[in-house]
Amino acid sequence: MEMPHKLSGENGFDFTQKLIFSSTSDPVESSLSFDIPTPRESCSTPLSNGTLYSNANSPSDSCAKPLCEARSEGKGPYSTGIKYVSSEEEGLECGWGAFTPSCLQFCNAPKGVLFFLCAASFLQGMTVNGFINTVITSIERRFDLRSYESGLIASSYDIAACVCLTFVSYFGGNGHKPRWLGWGVFIMGIGSLVFTLPHFTTSQYEVHFLQDTDMCFSNQSVRCSGSASSLSNYRFIFMLGQFLHGIGATPLYTLGVTYLDENVKSNYSPVYIAIFYTAAILGPAAGYLIGGLFLNIYTEIGQQLDLTPDNTLWVGAWWIGFLGAGAAALLTAIPILGYPQRLPGSQRYVVMRVSEVHQLKDGSHKTASDPDFGKTVKDLPRSALLLLKNPTFIFLCLAGATEATLIAGMSTFGPKFLESQFSLSASEAATLFGYLVVPAGGGGTFLGGFIVNKFKLRCSGIIKFCLFCTLSSLLAIFIFFVDCPNMPMAGVTEMYDRSFLPEGRLNLSAPCNTECDCLRETYSPVCGSDGIMYYSPCHGGCKRVLTNQNNGKKVYHECSCILGSHPMVPGSATTGKCSSSCEKRTLLLLFVFVVIIFTFLSSIPALTATLRCVSDRQRSFALGIQWIVVRTLGGIPGPIAFGSMIDKSCLLWQNQCGEQGSCYVYQNFAMSRYTLIAGLIYKVIGSFFFLLACFLYKPPPPESLPGSSDTSENGNCDLRENKCPLQSQDNV
């Protein structure tokens, strides 16, 4: 005999299945079995809306195994139990419209979705948080931008995301998530292609005055043109590309996370999300490494130029990475668009989910359990109000914003920090920063999700773990008391006679180079044989140049301002910066590594806590609201604030015919102290927010937790080891 049986979970998914009675007894007698207390009732766990679910652990089990199989007693007509027969698997094939080939159906599983979402998040991270941050210095130099302007370019991504998040998370959360995700990745690819347009629409990059004015000659002059200052207008094209990046990536970290969470068991969800976010962390690391390699290629490919990457006038091929990433994103969007609204067999995980929603005093949190809630725009204000009344959710959002400020600021200007502290080229600094981010950021992200899964942490325990990670990184951030001294530079950090030079006062003229008529517009630093850097060969009084056949670097001779091996013999100089021999380099890199790993160690646990403290139907919308808060208070002001802070530590500005350009030399001491102050402020505030979130969290009453009903989703009565004595042991 078959009877229709309709179930609905807290998230409102309804599905109809048939109850098949294995007995041939009279239907009336069979119906009485539902009122007879049996040991099987102890294997059911209540949801927040009162629905009972079973403990089958495989999607196929829901069609073949009883809801709760008690030990066979060999008597009674109903000892074989009740079986589910699914009737809702039609229309869940993977494909595009009517084209659903069977060879693609092996991808129609959580692992298949995870693979393509990881590919999309990897490309997003590599482009937005990798290539963008790697090429900042080159773009500033190529298009005459200041740090705050490049910071505005970086923040444009978050501005666009904030504009779209409410709309995407609310309507996309109740719509066809893979379609939203696929079109988002497609738009992101278009944004990468737009970002390269300035390279193809502007005139070729030329190094002015290098051949004629970098040596010590008399009667030198410079011809100023208005074209240099107009290059800064290309920042609007960069901002447009970043806007498209932000629009396209908006569904990825809201709908993508909830799509994974809905289609796997809740205790596996942190691991899946951790892998997803690990790919997003490895993306920037790959961006730093690959972008650093591209910066060793001259921006005008094929053009012969007597210039090396060590020269500060060098501009690498910053645009190549964006072309490749854009094309890859367009291809990745195609398979994502082919996934169904939900994966086959996924509804049972949603129905089985145990609620950990924060309990509001007025009981209004139960409103979101209504299956019809959130399907129309009129429910948007009520849904937002429910989230605003949830203090745990609010303080988790604020804590995430404080962490995002530091992450956004340091990821944007971290390579520049290393470049200044260790006297590196832009490509070397980007590569070194990538080596830090790969193990620290990626490892910390995955490890955070693994710890939540390994120790079966509940919402309160997860928040406490986040607090521990934030306090640990707070202690490690004191390493920014340490800084590497600036390499001495004549006329910038000290006088030509090695005497003290007041900070902020440049004096590039000296008796040894007065007759050279050196130009301020010509910045081509050289490292003298006396270990001191000079603004240019001309400012070092150099009159003759040779090329080292071993490394291709220019070696300048007869430099009147540089002390030679003998007092009466002029010294020499080599093109490029002097190498830093900072003894604190290893210590500084070690503790920066610790700060990064503990910062990212709390990212997945904090996200998991956010998903658990809100209703199932509000998860996508909650992530959207959280990302708005994080970006508005953290992601957007972070790069702008750090850029302005770094500008304050500038010692030497570019001078183009009286117009101030980008910064050439920073003061390492000031840069470290500003970073320390910002880190302390935001880490202390973040710790305070995590503390409030933990203190104000009110879990559901004990009778609604798995332990009270002697079971959980993975078949355990306890959070850890105790197994339900009445549950079938063959469940996997």
Side-chain angles (χ1 to χ4, degrees), residues 522-546:
T522 305
Y523 179 67
S524 179
V526 293
C527 182
S529 56
D530 55 358
I532 297 176
M533 289 174 56
Y534 294 85
Y535 192 90
S536 72
C538 180
H539 289 84
C542 302
K543 301 178 179 62
R544 188 166 57 92
V545 61
L546 298 175

Side-chain angles (χ1 to χ4, degrees), residues 113-126 128-129 157 161 165 168-169 177-178 180-186 188 245-260 273 276-277 279-280 329 332-333 336 607 623 627 631:
V113 175
L114 179 64
F115 174 79
F116 289 111
L117 289 183
C118 283
S121 65
F122 179 85
L123 291 172
Q124 182 273 338
M126 182 173 65
V128 177
N129 300 318
Y157 169 83
L165 271 169
V168 171
S169 61
K177 293 184 178 68
W180 285 83
L181 289 165
W183 285 114
V185 175
F186 183 86
M188 189 171 63
H245 284 152
I247 294 172
T250 297
L252 198 57
Y253 298 104
T254 52
L255 306 182
V257 172
T258 52
Y259 189 70
L260 285 174
I273 296 175
F276 172 67
Y277 269 86
T332 305
I336 295 178
L607 180 65
L623 288 183
W627 277 111
R631 284 178 163 88

Side-chain angles (χ1 to χ4, degrees), residues 101 138 145 247-248 254 302 371 384 415 419 668 700:
S138 299
L145 302 178
I247 294 172
T254 52
E419 178 182 348
N668 291 346

Side-chain angles (χ1 to χ4, degrees), residues 153-182:
I153 292 173
S155 296
S156 298
Y157 169 83
D158 296 294
I159 294 173
C162 285
V163 173
C164 301
L165 271 169
T166 301
F167 174 81
V168 171
S169 61
Y170 185 78
F171 292 102
N174 294 293
H176 197 293
K177 293 184 178 68
R179 291 178 184 171
W180 285 83
L181 289 165

Side-chain angles (χ1 to χ4, degrees), residues 178 270 275 308 343 360 385 424 431 434 494 512 523 532 649 651 679 719:
I275 295 174
T308 63
L343 298 181
L360 299 176
L385 181 60
L424 303 173
T431 303
E494 62 181 31
C512 59
Y523 179 67
I532 297 176
S649 61
L651 287 176
L719 289 179

Side-chain angles (χ1 to χ4, degrees), residues 457-492:
L457 296 179
R458 291 291 174 184
C459 190
S460 179
I462 293 174
I463 300 175
K464 293 176 182 177
F465 177 72
C466 294
L467 177 61
F468 165 77
C469 294
T470 306
L471 292 175
S472 299
S473 58
L474 171 63
L475 297 177
I477 212 166
F478 280 98
I479 190 59
F480 289 108
F481 267 123
V482 176
D483 64 90
C484 292
N486 282 84
M487 297 303 297
M489 187 172 187
V492 179

Side-chain angles (χ1 to χ4, degrees), residues 295-311:
L295 291 181
N296 287 321
I297 304 172
Y298 189 62
T299 184
E300 304 295 344
I301 295 179
Q303 180 177 334
Q304 298 295 328
L305 187 67
D306 191 14
L307 200 66
T308 63
D310 295 327
N311 195 297

Side-chain angles (χ1 to χ4, degrees), residues 94-101 104-105:
C94 181
W96 303 270
F99 181 68
T100 57
L104 295 180
Q105 302 313 311

